[in-house]
């Protein structure tokens, strides 16, 4: 478990360094995610410890957003001025964004028969 | 308040222990309420914890920077948790390969729809230009959205606030959108949560299943990457017209 947590922090560190060095518009942890993904593809499997560490971090991931959420109180004056516009914009666009993505993907993914049902399994259709 | 108690309070509220304990305790309250409500989507643990903490700090006068002294330890874990998204993603590699084009198409449609409706509604209601530009990238994960806002002339701090609000609303309301659209596939549910409600949406997707969480994490990363490259160029092009 300690090895896995160390690995996660090291990948984050390398991601952070790479993002700064190459002046990428993407944060270090996202670069670290990509690097760890490539590493796992190269290794061919994720170790038990890594899987446990990931499960631990993702099991209560919503807890990690509480400090940032409380930060909303810092901007109370600005938010109070345009609250109706902001709430309407955020609400509508979030509902539309989720709806459009889910609908497009739901149609495309659900229409495809499961791999086992396809004639000739993996080959392209004649 | 008795003087001794007051002194103890002043001491405690100035140590990191206070902010850390308060964050975990408020989250436990949020979990407890969510469980009592039969995991009803409106009883979102993050939203409840934030409301509890904001109310407590408004009453006691604890300023946010003092609270963050302790809360930063929890906040810090967002980094390793983001890196660790590679693990469930790796486990979903076959499905990822099989659906790569539908995923990309859905991401572009959802990302464009989110950005256009965010700006469109704000414009219709007469928002200032700074507000519209701060709202434009709010469906992207907060650190990337703040960078985009800075580049296009928005206010990065307010963009972060819109990101948090977006994530919470997405987590709370997604289930109703899915049943309205008749979407049952965990891939579609997770991926759309990551596309339109980034990190908090991903946390919600992990509550549904590891599969949904993996695709939410993928969408979060891809949406951030594409938006960071495309949005500043698109805004510059629009201004040039």
């Amino acid at each position: 478990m300690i090895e896995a947590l160390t690995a996660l922090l090291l990948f984050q560190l390398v991601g952070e360094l790479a993002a700064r060095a190459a002046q990428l518009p993407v944060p270090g942890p996202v670069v670290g995610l990509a690097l760890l993904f490539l590493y796992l593809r190269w290794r061919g499997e994720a170790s038990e410890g890594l899987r446990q560490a990931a499960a631990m971090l993702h099991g209560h991931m919503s807890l990690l957003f509480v400090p940032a959420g409380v930060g909303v109180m810092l901007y109370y004056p600005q938010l109070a001025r345009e609250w109706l516009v902001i709430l309407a914009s955020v609400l509508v666009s979030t509902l539309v964004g989720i709806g459009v993505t889910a609908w497009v993907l739901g149609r495309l993914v659900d229409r495809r028969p499961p791999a086992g049902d396809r004639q000739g399994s993996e080959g392209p259709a004649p | 308040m008795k003087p001794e108690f007051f002194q103890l309070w002043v001491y405690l509220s100035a140590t990191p222990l206070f902010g850390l304990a308060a964050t975990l305790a408020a989250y436990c309250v949020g979990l407890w309420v969510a469980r009592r409500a039969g995991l009803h989507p409106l009883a979102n643990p993050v939203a409840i914890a934030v409301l509890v903490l904001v109310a407590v700090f408004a009453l006691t006068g604890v300023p946010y920077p003092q609270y963050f002294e302790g809360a930063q330890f929890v906040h810090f874990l967002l980094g390793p948790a983001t890196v660790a998204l590679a693990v469930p993603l790796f486990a979903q590699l076959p499905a990822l390969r099989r659906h790569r084009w539908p995923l990309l198409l859905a991401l572009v449609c959802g990302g464009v729809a989110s950005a256009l409706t965010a700006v469109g509604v704000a414009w219709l209601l007469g928002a200032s230009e700074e507000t519209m530009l701060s709202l434009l990238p709010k469906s992207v994960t907060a650190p990337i959205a703040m960078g985009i806002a800075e580049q296009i002339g928005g206010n990065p701090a307010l963009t972060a606030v819109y990101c948090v609000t977006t994530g919470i609303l997405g987590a709370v309301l997604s289930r109703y959108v899915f049943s309205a659209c008749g979407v049952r596939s965990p891939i579609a549910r997770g991926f759309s949560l990551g596309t339109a409600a980034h990190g908090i949406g991903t946390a919600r997707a992990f509550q549904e299943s590891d599969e949904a969480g993996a695709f939410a994490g993928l969408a979060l990363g891809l949406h951030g990457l594409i938006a960071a490259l495309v949005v500043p160029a698109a805004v510059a092009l629009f201004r040039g017209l």
Side-chain angles (χ1 to χ4, degrees):
Chain A
M1 191 68 151
I2 286 295
E3 289 91 340
L5 285 171
T6 311
L8 290 177
L9 289 174
L10 285 175
F11 272 101
Q12 188 183 349
L13 188 62
V14 172
E16 211 71 75
L17 290 172
R20 294 279 161 87
Q23 296 197 317
L24 299 176
V26 181
V30 175
V31 179
L33 188 177
L35 293 173
L36 178 58
F37 182 75
L38 292 176
Y39 171 76
L40 291 175
R41 281 199 60 183
W42 174 72
R43 273 280 310 267
E45 59 157 6
S47 72
E48 181 57 32
L50 197 56
R51 270 179 283 160
Q52 279 177 10
M56 184 192 73
L57 285 166
H58 297 145
H60 280 289
M61 197 165 138
S62 40
L63 163 68
L64 312 184
F65 292 97
V66 172
V70 178
V72 169
M73 72 191 253
L74 283 175
Y75 300 97
Y76 180 74
Q78 283 111 307
L79 297 177
R81 232 180 298 134
E82 288 191 282
W83 70 272
L84 187 64
V85 176
I86 292 163
L87 190 65
S89 162
V90 170
L91 184 65
V92 171
S93 74
T94 305
L95 293 177
V96 169
I98 292 180
V100 167
T101 318
W103 185 79
V104 170
L105 198 52
R107 284 186 70 94
L108 294 172
V109 171
D110 284 343
R111 275 186 172 181
R112 297 181 164 208
D117 291 1
R118 248 178 284 170
Q119 291 165 341
S121 68
E122 286 301 283
Chain B
M1 258 191 255
K2 280 187 185 169
E4 313 90 79
F5 180 78
F6 182 72
Q7 275 170 7
L8 185 66
W9 167 251
V10 167
Y11 166 73
L12 274 181
S13 63
T15 68
L17 177 65
F18 168 74
L20 185 57
T23 305
L24 288 165
Y27 184 69
C28 287
V29 171
L31 280 181
W32 182 80
V33 173
R35 282 183 192 138
R36 287 302 297 258
L39 295 179
H40 193 277
L42 289 178
N44 180 267
V46 188
I48 295 166
V50 168
L51 287 176
V52 167
L53 289 170
V54 169
V56 168
F57 299 153
L59 288 174
T60 57
V62 172
Y64 183 72
Q66 197 175 318
Y67 159 71
F68 198 74
E69 283 282 302
Q72 62 177 319
F73 301 113
V74 172
H75 182 78
F76 173 79
L77 290 175
L78 278 173
T82 303
V83 176
L85 287 172
V87 177
L89 201 54
F90 175 71
Q92 299 297 331
L93 194 56
L96 182 61
R97 282 216 179 97
R98 192 159 63 240
H99 300 306
R100 59 179 162 247
W101 296 116
L103 290 171
L104 203 59
L105 182 68
L107 178 80
V108 171
C109 293
V112 170
S114 302
L116 287 185
T117 45
V119 176
V121 170
W123 180 74
L124 281 175
L125 295 176
S128 66
E129 191 180 319
E130 193 197 29
T131 302
M132 285 195 282
L133 289 172
S134 308
L135 279 164
L136 178 63
K138 57 106 217 163
S139 297
V140 178
T141 181
I144 300 182
M146 291 170 78
I148 294 175
E150 197 161 15
Q151 279 188 52
I152 62 176
N155 179 335
L158 287 181
T159 297
V161 172
Y162 305 149
C163 285
V164 172
T165 320
T166 296
I168 291 178
L169 284 175
V172 168
L173 299 173
S174 59
R175 204 182 290 182
Y176 304 111
V177 181
F178 296 145
S179 44
C181 303
V183 174
R184 278 183 302 276
S185 141
I187 294 179
R189 292 166 78 110
F191 196 78
S192 64
L193 271 165
T195 301
H198 39 76
I200 303 179
T202 301
R204 170 79 196 97
F206 270 110
Q207 287 168 5
E208 283 201 8
S209 68
D210 277 357
E211 190 186 15
F215 279 88
L218 170 69
L220 174 159
L222 279 181
H223 192 186
L225 191 69
I226 294 175
L229 299 173
V230 170
V231 171
V235 170
L237 193 70
F238 180 76
R239 281 218 175 100
L241 291 177

